[in-house]
Amino acid sequence: MFTQTHINRFQQLETPFYYYDLNLLQQTLTACAEAAYSYNYHVHYALKANFNPKVLDAIQAAGFGADCVSGNEVKAAIAHGFTNNKVVFAGVGKSDKEINAALDADIFCFNSESVQELLVINELAQAKNKIARIAIRINPNVDAHTHHHITTGLEENKFGINTWQLEEVLATLKSCSNLEFIGVHFHVGSQITNMDVFKNLCLRVNELQEWFDEQGFAIKILNVGGGLGVDYYHPESNSMCDFKTYFKIFRDYLKVKPGQEVHFELGRALVAQSASLISRVLYVKNGQKKNFLILDAGMTELIRPMLYQAYHVIENISSQSENTINYDVVGPICESTDCFRTDVQLPESKRGDLIAIRTAGAYGEVMASGYNLRDRVESVYSEVEVTQASL
Ligand SMILES: *Cc1c(COP(=O)(O)O)cnc(C)c1O
């Protein structure tokens, strides 16, 4: 909840900005770490969800590793103190430059997605006289039951290696002297709230493990990816994921052999609830059938609603009005799709009111763009508030 202190502070600031609740972030990290470490699980944070410097610092300090999907993310992770032996690098289209950067950083592991890529990594590693550790990203053909734009584990997806290609992959690994096979990697989708999906993933991984055994390939690392979903509808009452239940699914269903490590790559679940996008109402436009609330934030600051029809709670945090009105909440960008949601029930709103768009900490600020030559969106942190209050 935003208190009067928050609102007073926000009123002094230029909008729009991302407001980070670093306390909630810390609590979330602690809850996740405790649940994971009780089973000796390793958690890598997927930087792509949010690479705000303060967020990265907090996550690094909490002991998490880093899951990167670009060479620059690898560099950012190292620059923020993630040790190279806790950095993994995934992605369907790693360029030579990015692979070289990761080899130079001596990262823990490449999560590799194709035979072609294995050959390239081998060649580049050979040129540097290095051995690249490899986990194979397998497409387990598990339906994540999530929005089709964020499903990644089905056969018709661009991600991962399909099971019928695995023999060729193993033959390639055998022939590449600068690759060391260390494990298997899976990531079936994002914003998964149905725990059966993770159970199905475990059962599939168990089957695949037997097959690798038969081929004489020892798996040291079982990396089951990320994808744990958050509650976009109840950011207050359900502000943290149930990490205990999540990890217990793997404990109960994943067959782990002695000496094997289980790795996770959580992004959204660690950061989503800890930020809100704060904006102001610029204008209220009353049409014949519709009322538009025109904000000073749009798809250039938070594109999820426009890109994935994502739902975010939208609140007017400064209105004193007791009347409720239905608004289409839109941004200022010259695109009809620049709409956060239609028919949002809000207290009667006026120019200057503060609007909070909640659960914006994942895939929010990182996807901000300069379209329409907009200013880069600012970030404001809760810890600064403490300092200001004490002044
Ligand atoms: C995006 C991504 C993740 C994190 O996904 P979340 O849904 O944010 O947890 C993990 N692993 C890989 C390979 C990814 O691409």
Side-chain angles (χ1 to χ4, degrees):
M1 266 300 262
F2 292 109
T3 62
Q4 195 54 48
T5 318
H6 288 111
I7 294 161
N8 292 346
R9 179 174 172 215
F10 294 169
Q11 270 161 349
Q12 316 284 314
L13 299 170
E14 219 182 286
T15 45
F17 57 83
Y18 275 92
Y19 176 75
Y20 285 92
D21 181 343
L22 296 178
N23 291 324
L24 179 58
L25 175 63
Q26 198 55 56
Q27 286 168 24
T28 309
L29 295 175
T30 306
C32 177
E34 281 177 3
Y37 300 160
S38 71
Y39 302 132
N40 285 320
Y41 289 162
H42 299 248
V43 181
H44 299 268
Y45 167 61
L47 263 75
K48 76 172 191 284
N50 190 321
F51 42 69
N52 180 293
K54 281 201 199 265
V55 171
L56 287 190
D57 287 341
I59 294 173
Q60 184 274 329
F64 292 80
D67 166 39
C68 305
V69 289
S70 75
N72 286 343
E73 283 191 3
V74 171
K75 288 181 191 165
I78 304 278
H80 280 272
F82 290 90
T83 51
N84 55 342
N85 62 1
K86 283 187 177 179
V87 174
V88 300
F89 184 14
V92 69
K94 303 178 189 77
S95 71
D96 295 23
K97 186 179 162 190
E98 292 177 310
I99 294 167
N100 276 322
L103 286 169
D104 289 339
D106 280 320
I107 62 162
F108 174 65
C109 181
F110 289 84
N111 293 335
S112 183
E113 306 226 3
S114 68
V115 168
Q116 275 184 37
E117 188 196 59
L118 286 173
L119 294 172
V120 172
I121 298 175
N122 184 55
E123 193 183 309
L124 297 175
Q126 207 156 27
K128 290 181 185 292
N129 206 11
K130 291 195 172 195
I131 303 286
R133 281 169 295 273
I134 301 288
I136 296 300
R137 176 165 179 178
I138 300 172
N139 196 334
N141 205 20
V142 168
D143 191 346
H145 297 293
T146 183
H147 191 277
H148 63 279
H149 284 170
I150 50 176
T151 297
T152 57
L154 288 174
E155 274 167 7
E156 70 256 35
N157 222 276
K158 74 171 175 181
F159 294 104
I161 293 168
N162 292 315
T163 43
W164 66 82
Q165 298 163 314
L166 284 177
E167 281 183 35
E168 190 190 349
V169 167
L170 295 197
T172 308
L173 284 166
K174 271 189 191 154
S175 70
C176 289
S177 54
N178 292 69
L179 302 182
E180 181 192 351
F181 171 80
I182 61 167
V184 286
H185 172 231
F186 306 86
H187 176 69
V188 293
S190 203
Q191 186 51 23
I192 295 165
T193 48
N194 178 350
M195 292 298 130
D196 283 346
V197 172
F198 296 116
K199 179 183 159 186
N200 292 340
L201 172 63
C202 290
L203 301 179
R204 192 79 184 97
V205 175
N206 296 344
E207 282 173 19
L208 284 162
Q209 279 215 72
E210 281 181 28
W211 184 83
F212 273 83
D213 262 2
E214 286 162 14
Q215 309 300 311
F217 272 73
I219 293 173
K220 286 186 221 154
I221 309 291
L222 293 169
N223 183 335
V224 290
L228 177 61
V230 302
D231 190 343
Y232 281 95
Y233 290 85
H234 307 100
E236 288 303 331
S237 58
N238 196 9
S239 63
M240 258 197 267
C241 295
D242 184 354
F243 293 108
K244 279 190 182 154
T245 302
Y246 170 68
F247 288 118
K248 193 161 185 306
I249 300 267
F250 293 88
R251 176 67 172 194
D252 289 347
Y253 295 102
L254 188 65
K255 278 191 198 147
V256 182
K257 303 205 172 85
Q260 278 185 336
E261 289 181 8
V262 184
H263 290 216
F264 293 81
E265 302 170 335
L266 293 175
R268 187 192 311 269
L270 296 178
V271 293
Q273 297 290 12
S274 59
S276 297
L277 177 63
I278 308 293
S279 65
R280 276 190 176 83
V281 175
L282 286 176
Y283 304 104
V284 184
K285 202 166 171 180
N286 296 314
Q288 299 229 294
K289 292 191 187 132
K290 279 192 173 289
N291 301 300
F292 292 97
L293 211 58
I294 302 170
L295 307 186
D296 62 7
M299 61 193 283
T300 41
E301 286 69 43
L302 178 65
I303 201 174
R304 297 190 67 258
M306 302 79 181
L307 193 59
Y308 318 111
Q309 292 94 48
Y311 180 95
H312 288 263
V313 166
I314 301 175
E315 296 168 340
N316 183 326
I317 57 174
S318 63
S319 172
Q320 309 285 342
S321 173
E322 315 234 310
N323 292 338
T324 323
I325 293 185
N326 265 11
Y327 293 102
D328 284 11
V329 179
V330 302
I333 305 304
C334 297
E335 296 285 342
S336 311
T337 50
D338 187 31
C339 174
F340 287 107
R341 198 162 74 250
T342 56
D343 291 316
V344 185
Q345 276 217 339
L346 289 172
E348 189 169 2
S349 305
K350 58 179 192 312
R351 176 173 165 81
D353 282 355
L354 288 167
I355 303 293
I357 303 180
R358 307 294 304 273
T359 321
Y363 308 105
E365 191 183 352
V366 279
M367 285 198 194
S369 80
Y371 184 45
N372 287 194
L373 206 54
R374 299 267 292 170
D375 285 332
R376 166 119 203 100
V377 65
E378 298 285 332
S379 319
V380 170
Y381 306 94
S382 55
E383 64 176 18
V384 183
E385 188 182 356
V386 178
T387 334
Q388 282 192 344
S390 64
L391 283 175

